[in-house]
Amino acid sequence: MTSDRFDRTVAEWLHDDAEHHLPDHLADVLARTSRTPQRRWWSSPERWLPMPSLHRFTSIPRIAWLLVILPLLAALGVAALIAGSQPRLPAPFGLARNGVVAYGAADGDIYGVDPVTASSTPLITGAQRDVAPFYSRDGARFAFLRGASDHLLTAFVAQADGTGVHAVTPVLTDQVWWDWSYDETRLAMISTVDGIKKITIANTDGSGSRILDVGMPADFVSWRGPDDSELVFRGYPDNTSHAGIFAVRPDGKGLRRVSPTLGDQVGGYQYPQTAQDGTRVAYTAFELDPASGVMLLRLHVLDLTSGRDIVIPGAPDPIDPTLPTDEGYGIFSADGRQIAFWRDSSDNKIVLVVAPSDGSSPGHSIGPANPKVDGTDPNFDFSPDASMLVVRYPNEAVVHFLPLDGSPGTTLPLDAGDLPSWQRRAP
Amino acid sequence: MQRDLVERARKGDHDAFAELAGAAISRLDSTAWLILRDPDQAKDAVQETLVRAWRDLPTLRSTDRFDAWLHRLLVRACIDEARRLRRHRVDVELTPLDTPSIADTTSAIADRDQLERGFRRLEPEARALIVLHHYLDLPLPEVASVLGMPLGTAKSRLHRALQLMRAALDADTRPRPGAREGRLA
């Protein structure tokens, strides 16, 4: 029997054998689901990985960089002297010192934890349910969401010590993404309005918010720094499922597509992440790998100015080195030199990898390979000083801090529904 | 239509989820039966799948991928059930299978028996690969996505699974006096 004929025989047997009907049990299962609460919607990493505060030093001439940063640091220094006891703040971009990590606990309160000493401080407490803290770029404040329903939440802003709490939006439906502007005066966020994902811009002093209509569904919005001149987002023109990356000015004018093409339905421009200087976007695409001849998830870095698109090189499968691996969901480090992402293997495990963001090498793995859990990826980000990754693997009630140099990391038992937000402090 | 139902279910509309479940349960039942070969285990796997689907729907990234996601949950539930079954069968000692008939290998019934025996000898993951591709007619990239493995891995494992099945059939056509099977999976 030839291979094709055998395949057909197997297919025919399966179709005949599938007639073995089970007794009707739909009512049973619906009785069970009606008693089962749904998971918190922000526990999915794609929905909830906070936009990191990023900037790339390498693309800027050192002198120019110095011309920018030195006056800024000087100004900050003078301001600190004038303010007396006022704490020094980091620049809104680049490497910073690691501060505390804030997380929304299962009890509905928000806590700040020192990742070195593990000492915990309540930041936002009370009867209301508060979740998803997200530090501003200078670490002086954090935004968070408040509401009893997973789908109807109001955005608030507080000082880093939890004081000065004030609302910055009305109730939002399915708020799934946000990003602080570089001047800290605005939050750009994605929520659902009339059934369509749209951008909302909220003033962080609580003076108002508005919907930015870009004429298409939008998600993954971020500010293009360091002058907040544009917002970068993933858009779906003509309401199709073919996504592209677009930029628009905060006043809604100057809409333009910055990706060279629109992606296909299954995998174009997944998880776009903007580097802090606004010149590059990391994204993941499902595409034909010319080396292996199979469809793979590949991590790209697109230069928004030149249009140059590089692919982070893959690595052989650790189980069967003749096979390629899928990889994706890149996050830039604070200095823009490195990119962290996941890479899978044929034993159904996933490992985190850190590689140079210029595509010069496949990088090296960080931490252990972990089994995939129902297709849910680990949630991760760089520390502000880019010395380690903070990682939350699916279905774990702990958060891992994994040094990039391979030294032993630490694990804290944080009952967080999502990845904690790491405060940036002045170096 | 399905997208609208998924969106509504994602936001907690249980009636919408009931419609989705009603439309999918026959396909899920057949798939689970084919993978597990045990009606009780198949029913448990489908129940677990739909409960998890309801529970985790708010975290589904793309409503367009609902079917693929449901298949993934089902395969995972089937593999979990199969492992439980395997442990149980180890505990109760060995179970003999029917000695394969040599005389009637040309008949359709014997062919089907042989196919079933060959299929049962595969690991649940390999059975799932074959069922997704040859019963649900999912293209291999979709199969790879459902099983959470690279396409190259899915291809090679499917090839290997069918080879093993053929080898088992070939072995069945050779006399094996007093042959006994130990575990079914």
Side-chain angles (χ1 to χ4, degrees):
Chain A
M1 192 183 287
T2 64
S3 177
D4 282 353
R5 191 173 153 212
F6 182 71
D7 287 5
R8 279 199 302 277
T9 303
V10 169
E12 286 166 8
W13 169 69
L14 289 170
H15 279 89
D16 290 346
D17 196 48
E19 298 302 318
H20 241 288
H21 292 298
L22 305 185
D24 183 7
H25 59 113
L26 179 61
D28 296 344
V29 75
L30 291 179
R32 283 182 64 189
T33 53
S34 67
R35 297 190 301 268
T36 305
Q38 288 190 307
R39 263 176 78 182
R40 295 183 294 180
W41 56 271
W42 61 81
S43 58
S44 170
E46 176 166 354
R47 293 184 187 288
W48 251 146
L49 191 64
M51 289 294 287
S53 299
L54 307 172
H55 193 75
R56 185 175 74 143
F57 284 174
T58 51
S59 66
I60 304 174
R62 183 166 296 182
I63 293 297
W65 179 81
L66 288 173
L67 288 174
V68 172
I69 196 67
L70 288 179
L72 183 59
L73 290 175
L76 286 171
V78 170
L81 282 176
I82 291 171
S85 62
Q86 203 169 29
R88 233 163 25 100
L89 297 177
F93 47 81
L95 296 175
R97 193 161 57 87
N98 297 340
V100 300
V101 295
Y103 72 101
D107 64 4
D109 291 340
I110 291 173
Y111 297 86
V113 176
D114 184 324
V116 177
T117 65
S119 64
S120 175
T121 307
L123 296 175
I124 305 290
T125 60
Q128 307 97 330
R129 191 178 61 146
D130 298 311
V131 296
F134 178 33
Y135 278 109
S136 60
R137 295 175 187 273
D138 63 6
R141 290 178 290 171
F142 63 88
F144 64 96
L145 296 171
R146 172 174 290 174
S149 163
D150 289 345
H151 301 287
L152 299 172
L153 294 161
T154 303
F156 284 74
V157 167
Q159 297 298 313
D161 62 2
T163 62
V165 173
H166 59 279
V168 297
T169 67
V171 175
L172 300 169
T173 301
D174 286 351
Q175 201 273 17
V176 293
W177 196 264
W178 52 9
D179 189 33
W180 283 84
S181 65
Y182 289 78
D183 65 5
E184 320 281 3
T185 63
R186 289 161 291 176
L187 280 164
M189 53 187 77
I190 299 292
S191 64
T192 301
V193 180
D194 298 329
I196 297 173
K197 284 182 181 175
K198 290 187 175 177
I199 299 169
T200 291
I201 298 177
N203 298 328
T204 54
D205 63 2
S207 60
S209 65
R210 62 189 167 91
I211 295 167
L212 185 66
D213 188 358
V214 293
M216 68 181 95
D219 56 17
F220 288 100
V221 67
S222 62
W223 293 90
R224 185 168 181 182
D227 58 0
D228 297 318
S229 59
E230 286 184 307
L231 291 156
V232 178
F233 63 96
R234 183 172 68 181
Y236 299 82
D238 306 320
N239 288 322
T240 68
S241 53
H242 299 269
I245 299 173
F246 294 80
V248 66
R249 291 201 298 269
D251 62 5
K253 296 177 181 171
L255 176 67
R256 62 193 178 98
R257 194 179 79 205
V258 294
S259 59
T261 61
L262 293 178
D264 61 26
Q265 292 193 26
V266 292
Y269 302 109
Q270 296 181 37
Y271 202 66
Q273 296 284 301
T274 310
Q276 195 163 18
D277 63 1
T279 63
R280 296 178 298 167
V281 170
Y283 69 91
T284 301
F286 194 54
E287 61 196 17
L288 183 67
D289 177 55
S292 60
V294 298
M295 298 293 288
L296 295 172
L297 285 170
R298 278 282 166 263
L299 178 60
H300 290 243
V301 175
L302 171 67
D303 189 311
L304 296 176
T305 307
S306 69
R308 181 168 177 256
D309 192 322
I310 62 168
V311 181
I312 302 297
D317 188 301
I319 308 303
D320 181 349
T322 64
L323 296 173
T325 53
D326 288 313
E327 56 191 35
Y329 291 15
I331 301 275
F332 289 98
S333 63
D335 60 4
R337 293 182 177 181
Q338 303 177 91
I339 191 164
F341 54 95
W342 54 253
R343 179 177 286 154
D344 74 359
S345 54
S346 58
D347 57 352
N348 207 38
K349 289 185 176 176
I350 202 163
V351 69
L352 296 178
V353 175
V354 171
S357 61
D358 61 4
S360 58
S361 94
H364 64 284
S365 58
I366 303 294
N370 272 45
K372 296 179 195 171
V373 180
D374 297 335
T376 307
D377 309 317
N379 204 343
F380 55 93
D381 197 2
F382 282 96
S383 60
D385 68 358
S387 70
M388 64 180 90
L389 294 182
V390 54
V391 184
R392 185 176 176 276
Y393 294 106
N395 293 358
E396 281 190 353
V398 299
V399 173
H400 303 274
F401 299 87
L402 305 175
L404 303 192
D405 62 8
S407 57
T410 56
T411 299
L412 294 183
L414 306 184
D415 183 16
D418 51 295
L419 192 71
S421 178
W422 208 324
Q423 182 190 35
R424 291 162 53 82
R425 283 186 175 160
Chain B
M1 178 61 182
Q2 190 199 43
R3 191 176 183 175
D4 176 58
L5 287 173
V6 175
E7 278 292 350
R8 283 168 47 203
R10 209 169 65 78
K11 293 174 182 172
D13 183 339
H14 193 261
D15 291 341
F17 181 77
E19 277 197 57
L20 290 167
I25 197 164
S26 173
R27 184 179 76 245
L28 298 177
D29 280 351
S30 298
T31 305
W33 156 256
L34 288 172
I35 295 172
L36 291 164
R37 324 300 300 171
D38 181 305
D40 293 333
Q41 298 278 340
K43 182 180 155 194
D44 287 349
V46 172
Q47 295 243 337
E48 181 63 21
T49 299
L50 289 171
V51 169
R52 293 195 75 153
W54 164 251
R55 192 194 69 191
D56 295 350
L57 248 181
T59 68
L60 178 63
R61 287 190 194 125
S62 166
T63 51
D64 293 334
R65 303 284 295 159
F66 176 74
D67 282 337
W69 179 66
L70 206 55
H71 290 145
R72 177 177 284 207
L73 293 181
L74 179 69
V75 168
R76 175 51 49 196
C78 285
I79 290 170
D80 289 348
E81 286 295 332
R83 286 179 180 145
R84 264 199 289 278
L85 181 66
R86 184 164 16 184
R87 281 198 296 274
H88 174 69
R89 290 197 170 151
V90 168
D91 291 341
V92 298
E93 292 299 329
L94 305 179
T95 305
L97 284 182
D98 296 338
T99 305
S101 167
I102 308 304
D104 58 357
T105 50
T106 54
S107 74
I109 292 174
D111 285 349
R112 296 161 85 88
D113 286 348
Q114 286 181 357
L115 283 168
E116 168 129 17
R117 276 194 291 274
F119 192 69
R120 279 178 181 267
R121 287 179 179 130
L122 300 177
E123 291 290 325
E125 290 89 345
R127 292 186 210 164
L129 258 170
I130 292 174
V131 170
L132 291 174
H133 189 54
H134 286 300
Y135 172 66
L136 291 179
D137 296 326
L138 299 185
L140 266 175
E142 187 76 15
V143 173
S145 169
V146 167
L147 295 175
M149 62 176 61
L151 178 57
T153 309
K155 270 179 154 178
S156 60
R157 288 188 183 177
L158 179 64
H159 179 69
R160 204 174 303 148
L162 289 169
Q163 270 188 330
L164 285 170
M165 212 171 151
R166 288 190 75 166
L169 295 188
D170 291 344
D172 269 359
T173 62
R174 292 193 293 273
R176 293 188 301 149
R180 291 173 67 96
E181 285 291 333
R183 285 168 266 173
L184 295 185

